[in-house]
């Protein structure tokens, strides 16, 4: 009987999966600034960003979120990175994503290590209502006339869903903690 040698087949498959998570906490002046979690769930990572990550394997590009918004403003500061929120009539605001947080317990900007990073933004100074998931966005290179779609812009993620949130007082603080995990 003739023996056959079977050669093993080795297949190496690497995969990357992005998992987004968004948490929003409001501190209302009317209740002594006690924290109230108003939104806490996973979010959608935009296909354009996934495509960008794939393209980065073959090109030396830089679309990091390193030039963060330094103050709450409307309209958002051109060319900056971070979190932008739009109210129910389309007015755009950037969240302060760097510097010291007004309330203890929050670190603005990037935190985390290894495969999980969190960007925290602070919003204060306006009484507004935010009511649509697509109006809560994270991106690179804000363009005042073209949102994230300008030549240097890149929208990275948006909330998958959102509960209507009315910020009743300009003294209320809203913190959004946006975690992206490469898994």
């Amino acid at each position: 009987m003739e023996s056959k040698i079977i050669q093993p087949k080795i297949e190496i498959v690497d995969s990357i999966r992005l998992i987004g998570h968004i948490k929003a906490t409001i501190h209302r002046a009317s209740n002594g600034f006690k924290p109230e979690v108003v939104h806490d769930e996973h979010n959608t990572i935009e296909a354009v960003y996934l495509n960008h990550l794939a393209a980065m394997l073959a090109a030396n590009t830089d679309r990091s979120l390193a030039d963060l918004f330094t103050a709450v403003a409307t309209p958002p500061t051109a060319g900056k990175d971070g979190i932008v929120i739009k109210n129910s009539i389309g007015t755009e605001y950037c969240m302060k994503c760097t510097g010291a947080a007004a309330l203890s317990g929050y670190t603005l900007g990037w935190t985390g290590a290894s495969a999980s990073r969190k960007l925290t933004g602070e919003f204060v100074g306006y009484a507004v209502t935010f009511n649509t998931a697509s109006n809560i966005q994270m991106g690179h290179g804000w363009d005042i006339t073209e949102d994230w779609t300008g030549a240097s812009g890149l929208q990275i993620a948006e909330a998958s869903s959102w509960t209507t949130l009315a910020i009743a007082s300009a003294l209320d603080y809203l913190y959004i903690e946006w975690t992206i995990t490469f898994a």
Side-chain angles (χ1 to χ4, degrees):
M1 179 175 269
E2 196 176 305
S3 67
K4 293 184 180 180
I5 299 175
I6 300 174
Q7 295 293 329
K9 179 179 179 184
I10 300 174
E11 185 176 348
I12 299 173
V13 178
D14 284 338
S15 64
I16 185 170
R17 184 180 73 183
L18 288 177
I19 301 168
H21 183 260
I22 185 170
K23 178 180 178 183
T25 306
I26 190 164
H27 299 258
R28 298 185 189 278
S30 62
N31 72 359
F33 298 104
K34 293 178 184 171
E36 173 188 346
V37 175
V38 293
H39 190 81
D40 190 4
E41 68 182 35
H42 292 292
N43 68 277
T44 302
I45 303 297
E46 296 293 311
V48 68
Y49 188 60
L50 296 174
N51 293 341
H52 174 73
L53 289 176
M56 285 175 37
L57 295 173
N60 184 11
T61 61
D62 180 17
R63 294 286 180 120
S64 65
L65 275 72
D67 192 11
L68 297 170
F69 296 118
T70 59
V72 175
T74 183
T77 308
K80 295 287 189 177
D81 314 326
I83 301 170
V84 169
I85 49 183
K86 300 177 188 178
N87 69 8
S88 56
I89 59 170
T91 304
E92 300 153 333
Y93 304 85
C94 60
M95 297 187 78
K96 178 181 176 185
C97 295
T98 188
L103 300 180
S104 63
Y106 297 96
T107 301
L108 299 185
W110 286 109
T111 56
S114 301
S116 186
R117 304 299 167 116
K118 177 172 60 176
L119 178 62
T120 301
E122 175 182 78
F123 181 86
V124 65
Y126 298 90
V128 296
T129 297
F130 303 113
N131 63 355
T132 304
S134 63
N135 288 346
I136 314 298
Q137 304 170 347
M138 178 193 300
H140 165 84
W142 181 262
D143 185 298
I144 292 174
T145 60
E146 300 179 56
D147 296 354
W148 302 113
T149 62
S152 64
L154 178 65
Q155 181 177 333
I156 293 172
E158 68 182 29
S160 298
S161 67
W162 187 260
T163 302
T164 297
L165 171 63
I167 298 177
S169 167
L171 298 176
D172 294 344
Y173 288 87
L174 171 66
Y175 288 89
I176 291 182
E177 299 170 290
W178 208 316
T179 304
I180 295 181
T181 302
F182 292 80

